Amino acid sequence: MPLPPALLAKLQQRGIVRSNANEEVIAEDYESPETKEKPATVEDREFATGCPNKNNPYHVCVDFCYDHWMDGYPEERLNEDYLYRKRRMLMHYPLPEGWLEVYDAGLRRHYYWNPDTDEVSWLSPRHPHAVIGEAAPKLAREMHSQMRDTDKDFDPARDNYRARGGDADRDRYRERDRDRERDRGRDERGRDRGRDDRMDRDRDRDRDRRRRKSPGQSDSDSDEAAAKLDVTDRDRLKRANRKGIDPMDPAAYSDIKVGKWASGLTEDTKTGVDVTAGGPLFQQRPYPAPGAILRARGGRPDNEDEQ
Amino acid sequence: MSYMLPHLNNGWQVDQAILAEEDRVVVIRFGHDWDPTCMAMDETLYKVVNKVKNFAVVYLVDTTEVPDFNKMYELYDPCTVMFFFRNKHIMIDLGTGNNNKINWPITDGQELIDIVETIYRGARKGRGLVVSPKDYSTKYKY
């Protein structure tokens, strides 16, 4: 059984494993994975290796995560398309000295790790879009302990698993995973295509930034930001469907509020004159004096101080 | 000729300009100095401003600079001329259907003088709606 590259690098850094001859030393270091992966203190966060949500500071891996995800997605079963793209990226932007490729079984992606500086990056560090940052588990741990300090009632495990049924939880996981998969596919395709249109590029870049942060940043808050910043039309339609809004209603695919047929009409007709006047009366409706308008608009005009 | 006529730069100035005139009609042109329609109107206004100075005063308002009244006065046209007397909007029946304002450029100075004078005479008598000496409806054109 080969040593996982991350662990290997760590061991090498500590001098436990020699850089090229690693096979023979493995046996004596079997306990070190435990001590690395799950530090001895009970205070520290533990997570299931395969859990896609493991780096989320609001999430504590429960039994379900261990049972369901186990060791995560095996590397050899990865999508051929993904592997091809990864190879091509590495061909264009080879890894600099000291960087290692590491497979994340939970997220089903390779990331790049520099054991000397302990920095990580989703893309090759030479890639123009690469964002090099701190490792997510570390940050998550920090955030987690911070939250625990500030908020005594904080118990993510309770929120996550016990409150909802296991099934619901599993469904949620599955859906999120599928979403991520789809996102990733779309994104990579967009990058490879050469980005024909600007809108697309901007959206991609946004998503890139958000996703590439995730090894260096907690998943949860980038997810939250994503929900606020970048809601795609498709998501909006989904949401509308959930709320029971007619998909043809502009409220279903844009930011405007849900309204009735006449909603937009009355607001526009709010002029100084009596809009209900019709016929001959229509021609005899005077406008209010400017002073009355200014008073109606809320007292002081905006730039009174210029006087 | 817009540079020869006084501009009002905010809502407060517009209000004060109208309030300050006790006995004269206040003619306000809403629009933009760079607008060709407004340029034509300003030319006429400048032509007559000296002749009507005893009973009317002319101001220009940039609707982008002073957006306060755009909605209330329905200022959608490139050039709009409105008349006020003693802090009251004076309507004028021009035969166009819109009695509130002149929203096309008047090129004849005498016509404009006549309109302003009619407004002054009517408003002095307390009328809120006066009838223009000339009918500007399009029915004679077609």
Side-chain angles (χ1 to χ4, degrees), chain A:
Chain A
M1 181 186 135
L3 215 53
L7 174 62
L8 179 64
K10 263 189 187 169
L11 296 181
Q12 278 172 358
Q13 196 189 2
R14 292 196 168 191
I16 299 169
V17 177
R18 268 167 292 146
S19 47
N20 36 18
N22 45 16
E23 289 300 308
E24 62 271 51
V25 235
I26 291 168
E28 68 184 71
D29 284 318
Y30 259 148
E31 68 274 55
S32 50
E34 262 62 49
T35 54
K36 292 274 160 36
E37 289 278 316
K38 301 173 183 176
T41 49
V42 195
E43 288 295 288
D44 268 326
R45 276 179 97 239
E46 299 180 1
F47 54 81
T49 330
C51 178
N53 207 14
K54 61 187 173 186
N55 293 335
N56 182 347
Y58 299 97
H59 168 83
V60 168
C61 279
V62 292
D63 291 345
F64 170 80
C65 302
Y66 292 97
D67 297 343
H68 182 76
W69 299 109
M70 296 197 274
D71 286 335
Y73 199 77
E75 190 173 358
E76 55 269 18
R77 274 171 59 198
L78 277 176
N79 186 347
E80 194 49 50
D81 196 32
Y82 163 74
L83 290 173
Y84 165 72
R85 277 198 303 266
K86 181 175 73 75
R87 274 200 303 275
R88 197 176 50 180
M89 190 211 31
L90 285 179
M91 200 175 72
H92 289 311
Y93 310 101
L95 289 181
E97 193 68 29
W99 284 77
L100 300 163
E101 185 181 82
V102 188
Y103 176 64
D104 188 324
L107 297 169
R108 306 184 182 188
R109 280 206 80 179
H110 289 85
Y111 62 94
Y112 304 95
W113 175 49
N114 188 344
D116 301 328
T117 57
D118 208 19
E119 287 170 328
V120 287
S121 162
W122 276 127
L123 295 169
S124 166
R126 284 187 176 143
H127 194 284
H129 293 283
V131 172
I132 300 168
E134 277 187 283
K138 204 167 103 195
L139 286 174
R141 212 171 292 145
E142 279 167 19
M143 256 190 94
H144 184 75
S145 54
Q146 242 175 38
M147 276 187 291
R148 205 180 29 229
D149 292 345
T150 52
D151 184 7
K152 294 293 173 209
D153 298 334
F154 176 71
D155 182 7
R158 182 198 54 211
D159 299 342
N160 265 349
Y161 192 54
R162 278 167 229 153
R164 313 190 191 115
D167 277 344
D169 213 31
R170 200 175 309 139
D171 283 352
R172 203 157 48 90
Y173 279 137
R174 208 172 281 151
E175 191 175 347
R176 183 179 293 187
D177 218 40
R178 219 182 305 127
D179 277 354
R180 191 178 289 130
E181 202 69 55
R182 193 196 58 216
D183 253 24
R184 186 181 309 148
R186 206 195 300 156
D187 181 41
E188 300 257 343
R189 242 176 290 129
R191 192 183 299 139
D192 291 346
R193 198 172 46 221
R195 303 200 162 147
D196 23 20
D197 71 66
R198 222 178 106 88
M199 285 265 290
D200 225 34
R201 183 175 46 207
D202 283 350
R203 204 177 328 125
D204 276 3
R205 199 191 308 126
D206 263 359
R207 199 182 299 121
D208 265 3
R209 197 178 301 135
R210 161 162 49 96
R211 203 157 38 75
R212 254 185 288 105
K213 250 187 233 162
S214 57
Q217 203 203 30
S218 57
D219 266 349
S220 69
D221 76 16
S222 61
D223 272 2
E224 247 176 50
K228 270 185 208 133
L229 288 176
D230 191 17
V231 185
T232 61
D233 294 353
R234 198 191 158 94
D235 294 337
R236 282 210 189 96
L237 276 173
K238 261 203 234 159
R239 196 180 55 198
N241 202 16
R242 232 178 15 245
K243 285 186 185 166
I245 303 169
D246 178 5
M248 293 305 283
D249 188 332
Y253 50 80
S254 65
D255 287 329
I256 64 166
K257 287 181 273 179
V258 185
K260 292 186 215 134
W261 282 106
S263 301
L265 300 174
T266 46
E267 251 168 72
D268 288 344
T269 51
K270 205 178 224 168
T271 63
V273 294
D274 181 9
V275 286
T276 56
L281 257 179
F282 179 78
Q283 302 190 353
Q284 309 201 356
R285 28 168 227 169
Y287 286 125
I293 293 176
L294 292 178
R295 275 193 298 278
R297 284 179 78 252
R300 288 156 43 94
D302 309 329
N303 37 10
E304 197 178 0
D305 46 355
E306 281 179 17
Q307 292 309 304

Side-chain angles (χ1 to χ4, degrees), chain A residues 272 283 285 287-288 290-291 307, chain B residues 10 12 72-74 89 99-100:
Chain A
Q283 302 190 353
R285 28 168 227 169
Y287 286 125
Q307 292 309 304
Chain B
N10 56 46
W12 185 82
M72 294 295 259
Y73 287 169
E74 297 168 299
H89 172 221
N99 291 345
N100 287 316

